[in-house]
Amino acid sequence: MRVKNISLLSISFCLIFLLHVGCDTPKTEDGGIKSVETRPNIVFILADDLGWNEVGFNNKNNKLTPNIDQLRDEGVSLTQFYVHAVCAPSRAAFLTGRYPFRTWADWRSEDFGKPSYLAKLGLELSKNSDGEETRRIHGLAPEERTIAEALKERGYFTSISGKWGCGEWLPGHLPMGQGFMHQYGHYAWGIDYNNYTIPHNAPARFAVYDWHRNQEPLNEQGYSTDLIANEVVHLLANHRKEHVNKPFFFYVPFNAVHGPLEEIPRYTDTHEKRYAAIKCLDDAVGRILSAIDQYGFDDNTLVVFTNDNGAIRDNMNAPYRGTKNTNYEGGVRVPCVVKWKNRIPDGSTNNELMHITDFYSTLIKLGGASLEQERKPDGIDMTSVLLEGAKSKRDEIVFEVSGSVRLPSIRKGNYKLTGDELYNIVEDPAEQKNIATDNPELVEKLKKRVTSVGNERPPMPDMSLLMTPALPWVYGQEENAHAPDWVKEAITKVRETQPKEWKKGETPWPQAPKDGKITYTGDGR
């Protein structure tokens, strides 16, 4: 009788469990695992500095991205998807669902060590207690709610593999202080792909190590684009074995194809460096997509591929005008593809207006988390737009407000105001005809609107904390305090190859934009 009761009890528990997550792991015909979660797994892939026409689905003459193009064939292409003009603001906007000016993320951490940027705020380069010229500490505040925190609260396994870009020193500014349960990659803006150093640690001119797993320095070899893909494939395989009934959120922000473009492991025999790097990025995306399928997650995984800002040359963003660090279309309109098998029609196109903050609200909603929060997001839930073909509720995007290094800019309906220039984006997407003179009332209306929104900018965060030492061995305050000998030896070797002096006025990084424009040289580092 006792044995029978235990058996009935076990069956009851199994039936209850099956209703929620499955008593026995269901299999596909080829032995893969079927997801029994109604909430999707989420893989959000973010490229870095990729141009609009550098993906094949936007440029039929471009044969560099067959895997990304295949993803587009299996999902929807968002033709009016916008980000911000540089990497850190776009990343913070995605993570928080809030315009970057609200978090002061329109200022990158490294900007507070660059005299030409500091001058825009009426600030000068600081000196720490050791008398070293150094930068003020800046990052995404721990008080901000991130998409990782929201999904983690709803039972998602959360991981970042790649470039963080939202602070590289204090623990609260790093990924595992912002809701990520697993971290891999680098914290700061643009590493050397092969030795994982930041080749310009503003304001110092020497390298710092920046490669970590779970916020500990990581010693390995390989090309960073390939290594990031390796990590995601490993996470997918491990998830199948250890956590198959737990949904996952994998954020995969590549550093490709941000400079410096040093040694590229393949394709340089037939392609110039940038194109070889793009092909390597496409390889990495293909490996991740194949692993999603191989490990049985394809049926219920929502995949996004997009980019953080425009490329460094106008021709890379054609037919759109402008580059990274400008608010012209070439700087802020980027390729974006969303795939969710059997939920989003294959090979479809969506022309509705969307912004990077909208993914925060949309993915949180799909993940079953609440959008009720103290700091109201600017993102709009676009679930019905993506899944049902509904009209977008967004008719406005605020790209920049006063107090930024770039010009205040706003898109409202069909029009975009960038500084004093006005364009009809629908009729003139290449922004060739400035119609401000013919529309003074509209210009005034949009200026009042962007000023009104800009008045919501909070006071500048406390910038009294200074990086000490000014030239650490490795990013991460706690990691640097216990930097292993292998880090010191590796960094010393790299520093020995770097210039010891620079001509007056020259720096290893581009100067701040002037009049809303910037000219990148070399690979844009």
PDB file of all heavy atoms in Angstrom, residues 226-244:
ATOM      1  N   ASP A 226      36.071  34.398 -33.375  1.00  0.00           N
ATOM      2  CA  ASP A 226      35.902  32.952 -33.301  1.00  0.00           C
ATOM      3  C   ASP A 226      35.675  32.506 -31.856  1.00  0.00           C
ATOM      4  O   ASP A 226      34.856  31.605 -31.595  1.00  0.00           O
ATOM      5  CB  ASP A 226      37.141  32.245 -33.857  1.00  0.00           C
ATOM      6  CG  ASP A 226      37.360  32.520 -35.338  1.00  0.00           C
ATOM      7  OD1 ASP A 226      36.384  32.868 -36.030  1.00  0.00           O
ATOM      8  OD2 ASP A 226      38.507  32.382 -35.803  1.00  0.00           O
ATOM      9  N   LEU A 227      36.394  33.110 -30.930  1.00  0.00           N
ATOM     10  CA  LEU A 227      36.282  32.710 -29.524  1.00  0.00           C
ATOM     11  C   LEU A 227      34.894  33.011 -28.967  1.00  0.00           C
ATOM     12  O   LEU A 227      34.358  32.227 -28.170  1.00  0.00           O
ATOM     13  CB  LEU A 227      37.356  33.416 -28.699  1.00  0.00           C
ATOM     14  CG  LEU A 227      38.802  33.020 -28.990  1.00  0.00           C
ATOM     15  CD1 LEU A 227      39.756  33.853 -28.141  1.00  0.00           C
ATOM     16  CD2 LEU A 227      39.030  31.528 -28.742  1.00  0.00           C
ATOM     17  N   ILE A 228      34.334  34.143 -29.366  1.00  0.00           N
ATOM     18  CA  ILE A 228      32.982  34.488 -28.898  1.00  0.00           C
ATOM     19  C   ILE A 228      31.984  33.447 -29.400  1.00  0.00           C
ATOM     20  O   ILE A 228      31.111  32.988 -28.649  1.00  0.00           O
ATOM     21  CB  ILE A 228      32.609  35.909 -29.355  1.00  0.00           C
ATOM     22  CG1 ILE A 228      33.462  36.944 -28.598  1.00  0.00           C
ATOM     23  CG2 ILE A 228      31.124  36.184 -29.143  1.00  0.00           C
ATOM     24  CD1 ILE A 228      33.401  38.341 -29.178  1.00  0.00           C
ATOM     25  N   ALA A 229      32.115  33.068 -30.674  1.00  0.00           N
ATOM     26  CA  ALA A 229      31.229  32.026 -31.205  1.00  0.00           C
ATOM     27  C   ALA A 229      31.435  30.708 -30.465  1.00  0.00           C
ATOM     28  O   ALA A 229      30.468  30.003 -30.138  1.00  0.00           O
ATOM     29  CB  ALA A 229      31.468  31.837 -32.698  1.00  0.00           C
ATOM     30  N   ASN A 230      32.688  30.355 -30.184  1.00  0.00           N
ATOM     31  CA  ASN A 230      32.983  29.132 -29.434  1.00  0.00           C
ATOM     32  C   ASN A 230      32.249  29.119 -28.097  1.00  0.00           C
ATOM     33  O   ASN A 230      31.687  28.098 -27.679  1.00  0.00           O
ATOM     34  CB  ASN A 230      34.484  29.009 -29.159  1.00  0.00           C
ATOM     35  CG  ASN A 230      35.307  28.713 -30.399  1.00  0.00           C
ATOM     36  OD1 ASN A 230      34.764  28.393 -31.453  1.00  0.00           O
ATOM     37  ND2 ASN A 230      36.614  28.826 -30.275  1.00  0.00           N
ATOM     38  N   GLU A 231      32.292  30.257 -27.420  1.00  0.00           N
ATOM     39  CA  GLU A 231      31.679  30.340 -26.095  1.00  0.00           C
ATOM     40  C   GLU A 231      30.171  30.118 -26.170  1.00  0.00           C
ATOM     41  O   GLU A 231      29.592  29.405 -25.347  1.00  0.00           O
ATOM     42  CB  GLU A 231      31.981  31.698 -25.454  1.00  0.00           C
ATOM     43  CG  GLU A 231      31.562  31.820 -24.005  1.00  0.00           C
ATOM     44  CD  GLU A 231      32.509  31.131 -23.038  1.00  0.00           C
ATOM     45  OE1 GLU A 231      33.539  30.564 -23.497  1.00  0.00           O
ATOM     46  OE2 GLU A 231      32.234  31.141 -21.827  1.00  0.00           O
ATOM     47  N   VAL A 232      29.542  30.726 -27.161  1.00  0.00           N
ATOM     48  CA  VAL A 232      28.089  30.584 -27.291  1.00  0.00           C
ATOM     49  C   VAL A 232      27.726  29.142 -27.635  1.00  0.00           C
ATOM     50  O   VAL A 232      26.761  28.585 -27.088  1.00  0.00           O
ATOM     51  CB  VAL A 232      27.541  31.567 -28.342  1.00  0.00           C
ATOM     52  CG1 VAL A 232      26.029  31.384 -28.505  1.00  0.00           C
ATOM     53  CG2 VAL A 232      27.855  32.999 -27.953  1.00  0.00           C
ATOM     54  N   VAL A 233      28.490  28.528 -28.523  1.00  0.00           N
ATOM     55  CA  VAL A 233      28.238  27.125 -28.863  1.00  0.00           C
ATOM     56  C   VAL A 233      28.390  26.257 -27.616  1.00  0.00           C
ATOM     57  O   VAL A 233      27.576  25.344 -27.364  1.00  0.00           O
ATOM     58  CB  VAL A 233      29.187  26.658 -29.987  1.00  0.00           C
ATOM     59  CG1 VAL A 233      29.083  25.141 -30.186  1.00  0.00           C
ATOM     60  CG2 VAL A 233      28.873  27.382 -31.291  1.00  0.00           C
ATOM     61  N   HIS A 234      29.422  26.520 -26.831  1.00  0.00           N
ATOM     62  CA  HIS A 234      29.623  25.768 -25.589  1.00  0.00           C
ATOM     63  C   HIS A 234      28.448  25.969 -24.635  1.00  0.00           C
ATOM     64  O   HIS A 234      27.963  25.014 -24.009  1.00  0.00           O
ATOM     65  CB  HIS A 234      30.917  26.217 -24.913  1.00  0.00           C
ATOM     66  CG  HIS A 234      31.110  25.665 -23.538  1.00  0.00           C
ATOM     67  ND1 HIS A 234      31.529  24.372 -23.301  1.00  0.00           N
ATOM     68  CD2 HIS A 234      30.927  26.227 -22.315  1.00  0.00           C
ATOM     69  CE1 HIS A 234      31.592  24.161 -22.005  1.00  0.00           C
ATOM     70  NE2 HIS A 234      31.238  25.260 -21.374  1.00  0.00           N
ATOM     71  N   LEU A 235      27.975  27.193 -24.513  1.00  0.00           N
ATOM     72  CA  LEU A 235      26.841  27.476 -23.628  1.00  0.00           C
ATOM     73  C   LEU A 235      25.584  26.743 -24.094  1.00  0.00           C
ATOM     74  O   LEU A 235      24.816  26.228 -23.273  1.00  0.00           O
ATOM     75  CB  LEU A 235      26.582  28.981 -23.579  1.00  0.00           C
ATOM     76  CG  LEU A 235      27.595  29.823 -22.800  1.00  0.00           C
ATOM     77  CD1 LEU A 235      27.362  31.304 -23.057  1.00  0.00           C
ATOM     78  CD2 LEU A 235      27.522  29.522 -21.306  1.00  0.00           C
ATOM     79  N   LEU A 236      25.373  26.691 -25.404  1.00  0.00           N
ATOM     80  CA  LEU A 236      24.203  25.978 -25.934  1.00  0.00           C
ATOM     81  C   LEU A 236      24.297  24.488 -25.638  1.00  0.00           C
ATOM     82  O   LEU A 236      23.312  23.859 -25.226  1.00  0.00           O
ATOM     83  CB  LEU A 236      24.089  26.220 -27.437  1.00  0.00           C
ATOM     84  CG  LEU A 236      23.617  27.611 -27.863  1.00  0.00           C
ATOM     85  CD1 LEU A 236      23.924  27.854 -29.338  1.00  0.00           C
ATOM     86  CD2 LEU A 236      22.132  27.786 -27.596  1.00  0.00           C
ATOM     87  N   ALA A 237      25.492  23.924 -25.836  1.00  0.00           N
ATOM     88  CA  ALA A 237      25.672  22.500 -25.563  1.00  0.00           C
ATOM     89  C   ALA A 237      25.463  22.213 -24.077  1.00  0.00           C
ATOM     90  O   ALA A 237      24.807  21.227 -23.707  1.00  0.00           O
ATOM     91  CB  ALA A 237      27.073  22.059 -26.001  1.00  0.00           C
ATOM     92  N   ASN A 238      26.012  23.061 -23.225  1.00  0.00           N
ATOM     93  CA  ASN A 238      25.871  22.875 -21.789  1.00  0.00           C
ATOM     94  C   ASN A 238      24.415  23.040 -21.355  1.00  0.00           C
ATOM     95  O   ASN A 238      23.926  22.310 -20.480  1.00  0.00           O
ATOM     96  CB  ASN A 238      26.757  23.861 -21.044  1.00  0.00           C
ATOM     97  CG  ASN A 238      26.759  23.612 -19.547  1.00  0.00           C
ATOM     98  OD1 ASN A 238      27.258  22.590 -19.082  1.00  0.00           O
ATOM     99  ND2 ASN A 238      26.186  24.544 -18.793  1.00  0.00           N
ATOM    100  N   HIS A 239      23.723  23.981 -21.981  1.00  0.00           N
ATOM    101  CA  HIS A 239      22.326  24.214 -21.625  1.00  0.00           C
ATOM    102  C   HIS A 239      21.480  22.992 -21.963  1.00  0.00           C
ATOM    103  O   HIS A 239      20.563  22.639 -21.215  1.00  0.00           O
ATOM    104  CB  HIS A 239      21.798  25.455 -22.347  1.00  0.00           C
ATOM    105  CG  HIS A 239      20.646  26.102 -21.654  1.00  0.00           C
ATOM    106  ND1 HIS A 239      20.810  27.027 -20.656  1.00  0.00           N
ATOM    107  CD2 HIS A 239      19.318  25.944 -21.791  1.00  0.00           C
ATOM    108  CE1 HIS A 239      19.627  27.418 -20.212  1.00  0.00           C
ATOM    109  NE2 HIS A 239      18.697  26.765 -20.893  1.00  0.00           N
ATOM    110  N   ARG A 240      21.784  22.370 -23.068  1.00  0.00           N
ATOM    111  CA  ARG A 240      21.051  21.156 -23.445  1.00  0.00           C
ATOM    112  C   ARG A 240      21.227  20.075 -22.386  1.00  0.00           C
ATOM    113  O   ARG A 240      20.280  19.365 -22.021  1.00  0.00           O
ATOM    114  CB  ARG A 240      21.521  20.643 -24.800  1.00  0.00           C
ATOM    115  CG  ARG A 240      20.990  19.256 -25.118  1.00  0.00           C
ATOM    116  CD  ARG A 240      21.380  18.807 -26.497  1.00  0.00           C
ATOM    117  NE  ARG A 240      21.003  17.397 -26.674  1.00  0.00           N
ATOM    118  CZ  ARG A 240      20.819  16.821 -27.840  1.00  0.00           C
ATOM    119  NH1 ARG A 240      20.931  17.524 -28.949  1.00  0.00           N
ATOM    120  NH2 ARG A 240      20.508  15.548 -27.924  1.00  0.00           N
ATOM    121  N   LYS A 241      22.443  19.968 -21.838  1.00  0.00           N
ATOM    122  CA  LYS A 241      22.722  18.915 -20.863  1.00  0.00           C
ATOM    123  C   LYS A 241      22.241  19.253 -19.460  1.00  0.00           C
ATOM    124  O   LYS A 241      21.749  18.392 -18.735  1.00  0.00           O
ATOM    125  CB  LYS A 241      24.231  18.639 -20.834  1.00  0.00           C
ATOM    126  CG  LYS A 241      24.772  17.971 -22.073  1.00  0.00           C
ATOM    127  CD  LYS A 241      26.213  17.531 -21.905  1.00  0.00           C
ATOM    128  CE  LYS A 241      27.152  18.713 -21.756  1.00  0.00           C
ATOM    129  NZ  LYS A 241      28.569  18.290 -21.712  1.00  0.00           N
ATOM    130  N   GLU A 242      22.383  20.521 -19.084  1.00  0.00           N
ATOM    131  CA  GLU A 242      22.175  20.886 -17.682  1.00  0.00           C
ATOM    132  C   GLU A 242      20.872  21.639 -17.397  1.00  0.00           C
ATOM    133  O   GLU A 242      20.327  21.539 -16.301  1.00  0.00           O
ATOM    134  CB  GLU A 242      23.356  21.752 -17.208  1.00  0.00           C
ATOM    135  CG  GLU A 242      24.716  21.100 -17.384  1.00  0.00           C
ATOM    136  CD  GLU A 242      24.933  19.916 -16.479  1.00  0.00           C
ATOM    137  OE1 GLU A 242      24.233  19.824 -15.450  1.00  0.00           O
ATOM    138  OE2 GLU A 242      25.790  19.065 -16.796  1.00  0.00           O
ATOM    139  N   HIS A 243      20.397  22.426 -18.361  1.00  0.00           N
ATOM    140  CA  HIS A 243      19.285  23.332 -18.063  1.00  0.00           C
ATOM    141  C   HIS A 243      18.231  23.348 -19.164  1.00  0.00           C
ATOM    142  O   HIS A 243      17.645  24.381 -19.440  1.00  0.00           O
ATOM    143  CB  HIS A 243      19.805  24.765 -17.871  1.00  0.00           C
ATOM    144  CG  HIS A 243      20.979  24.883 -16.976  1.00  0.00           C
ATOM    145  ND1 HIS A 243      20.896  24.704 -15.619  1.00  0.00           N
ATOM    146  CD2 HIS A 243      22.277  25.169 -17.244  1.00  0.00           C
ATOM    147  CE1 HIS A 243      22.091  24.876 -15.072  1.00  0.00           C
ATOM    148  NE2 HIS A 243      22.938  25.152 -16.041  1.00  0.00           N
ATOM    149  N   VAL A 244      17.964  22.227 -19.799  1.00  0.00           N
ATOM    150  CA  VAL A 244      17.156  22.227 -21.012  1.00  0.00           C
ATOM    151  C   VAL A 244      15.765  22.824 -20.794  1.00  0.00           C
ATOM    152  O   VAL A 244      15.174  23.414 -21.702  1.00  0.00           O
ATOM    153  CB  VAL A 244      17.056  20.803 -21.601  1.00  0.00           C
ATOM    154  CG1 VAL A 244      16.240  19.899 -20.696  1.00  0.00           C
ATOM    155  CG2 VAL A 244      16.452  20.840 -22.996  1.00  0.00           C
TER     156      VAL A 244
END
